[in-house]
Amino acid sequence: MSRFAKFAWLVLGYNVLVILWGAYVRATGSGAGCGSHWPLCNGEIIPRSPTVETLIEYSHRLTSGLAALLVLAMLIWAFRAFPRKHIVRFGALMSMVFMVLEALVGAGLVLFEQVADNVTMARAVWMAAHLLNTFILLGWITLTAWWASGGSRFALRGQGSAGWGVFGALFLMTLIGMSGAVTALGDTLLHLGAIEKNPLVGETLLALRIYHPTLAIGIAVYMILVLTNLALARPSPTILRLALGFNGLYLAQLGLGALNVWLKAPVWMQLVHLLITDILWIMLVVLSASLLANQPQARAIVQEPKASITP
Ligand code: HEM
């Protein structure tokens, strides 16, 4: 594996850690630790006499700032190491675009005070949008690392029903994630004792929590049937391993989700549930890219010369 590819996987791993720390900020109600100031923290570059909430929020800003710098370094390196129009350059560029958007969403959360014990429907929309952008950002970093490690590029056209199957899996996974983010908000507000601040919205958010597990369980059927079928129709050792691994981990995540509910979503369990989600998402992105790159026509073209030798 090239040094660039190793670096790209490292950037991906580091971003997952930053995401987990971001969830810790939310789960501990520390999002207003720097007041409604951004990028300054309580009007200061380095907070003096910080509270625990300030330390948690400030360290998230520092670690996510480093994540942005790492993605920028990956972009510059990609443009130096790969020729014009190379797919790795495109992946690194898209990673940078969604990193900038991620920073803007994070800044928006703070500036519009959609943090700590704020109980509004607008916050639920922000949470879902934040998760969507995080997924897309992780997706592009994953693709950059995957392509730099020798993964083939793929065309979106001419994929037939397989294309729709893959698109469906990615879309449904995003839907589960976004519904999870709303569920996490309900649980956080409950833990912070904030429901009473706005009982109508608070109770609605608590009632919405049922949709996330329902969706996750229902979608399991799609994931297992469609991904297994696609993997068997377009097999390669990587595809078969990824499909098996993804489906197994997805089923395990259903169990962890149930445990999460049973334990009443303690912070550590929220982090474990989110870590598994990120791993599932990364596996699904690589599986999707591999499936789309492994078109039967493409394989037939490669095999054609051999076939013509045999009498
Ligand atoms: C493969 C299926 C699943 C995926 C990908 C998934 C994903 C997620 C995500 C992304 C969050 C938001 C995490 C955050 O923002 O911190 C979440 C939250 C949550 N999920 Fe799931 N989930 C799945 C299945 C389930 C199931 C089956 C249950 C319950 C039976 C469940 C229960 C919860 C609960 C209680 C929360 C809120 C507390 C927390 O943040 O951990 N999940 N889930």
Side-chain angles (χ1 to χ4, degrees):
M1 195 188 287
S2 70
R3 281 176 62 215
F4 176 87
K6 281 184 193 152
F7 177 69
W9 287 115
L10 202 97
V11 172
L12 179 66
Y14 180 74
N15 270 275
V16 170
L17 292 181
V18 173
I19 291 166
L20 293 180
W21 193 246
Y24 187 71
V25 174
R26 188 237 335 121
T28 54
S30 309
C34 287
S36 52
H37 297 258
W38 195 93
L40 293 180
C41 187
N42 291 323
E44 298 168 329
I45 297 176
I46 300 172
R48 275 170 293 167
S49 54
T51 60
V52 175
E53 285 81 12
T54 308
L55 283 176
I56 294 174
E57 165 66 4
Y58 190 65
S59 56
H60 181 51
R61 291 185 184 194
L62 289 182
T63 48
S64 53
L66 179 59
L69 287 178
L70 286 175
V71 170
L72 179 64
M74 186 172 81
L75 176 65
I76 296 171
W77 193 348
F79 271 72
R80 284 170 161 260
F82 295 89
R84 270 188 78 217
K85 295 199 172 168
H86 196 285
I87 194 75
V88 171
R89 278 188 173 197
F90 180 64
L93 185 65
M94 294 309 285
S95 304
M96 193 68 236
V97 169
F98 282 93
M99 178 52 95
V100 171
L101 279 176
E102 186 80 351
L104 290 178
V105 175
L109 283 174
V110 171
L111 294 173
F112 296 117
E113 299 180 355
Q114 303 296 321
V115 287
D117 57 359
N118 173 311
V119 191
T120 55
M121 267 312 177
R123 186 172 176 195
V125 177
W126 274 95
M127 299 296 292
H130 195 354
L131 187 124
L132 176 64
N133 196 73
T134 306
F135 262 23
I136 301 175
L137 168 65
L138 273 191
W140 280 116
I141 304 177
T142 305
L143 285 177
T144 309
W146 175 245
W147 285 325
S149 309
S152 308
R153 67 190 294 168
F154 54 83
L156 289 176
R157 283 191 185 179
Q159 294 283 354
S161 56
W164 286 108
V166 165
F167 174 77
L170 290 167
F171 174 77
L172 292 173
M173 188 68 183
T174 311
L175 214 60
I176 302 177
M178 287 164 74
S179 65
V182 176
T183 302
L185 175 61
D187 279 332
T188 302
L189 294 173
L190 191 65
H191 291 174
L192 296 175
I195 300 294
E196 292 313 312
K197 274 187 75 184
N198 187 347
L200 186 66
V201 172
E203 295 296 340
T204 308
L205 286 173
L206 292 184
L208 284 177
R209 290 182 302 171
I210 189 66
Y211 290 102
H212 171 63
T214 312
L215 271 174
I217 293 167
I219 289 168
V221 181
Y222 177 94
M223 291 298 190
I224 291 171
L225 286 182
V226 173
L227 293 179
T228 307
N229 266 314
L230 284 176
L232 292 176
R234 297 183 172 196
S236 81
T238 309
I239 287 176
L240 292 173
R241 235 181 286 134
L242 276 169
L244 197 68
F246 176 86
N247 284 331
L249 194 59
Y250 189 103
L251 290 177
Q253 176 79 320
L254 293 184
L256 284 175
L259 189 63
N260 206 354
V261 175
W262 188 59
L263 294 174
K264 299 204 166 63
V267 175
W268 67 268
M269 189 65 222
Q270 295 192 28
L271 299 187
V272 171
H273 195 57
L274 184 58
L275 172 64
I276 302 294
T277 301
D278 288 342
I279 296 173
L280 276 171
W281 176 247
I282 291 166
M283 287 174 90
L284 185 61
V285 168
V286 176
L287 176 60
S288 303
S290 310
L291 282 169
L292 294 180
N294 203 16
Q295 269 174 286
Q297 301 96 299
R299 276 187 281 130
I301 291 165
V302 174
Q303 284 163 7
E304 221 167 73
K306 270 192 206 162
S308 60
I309 297 168
T310 49

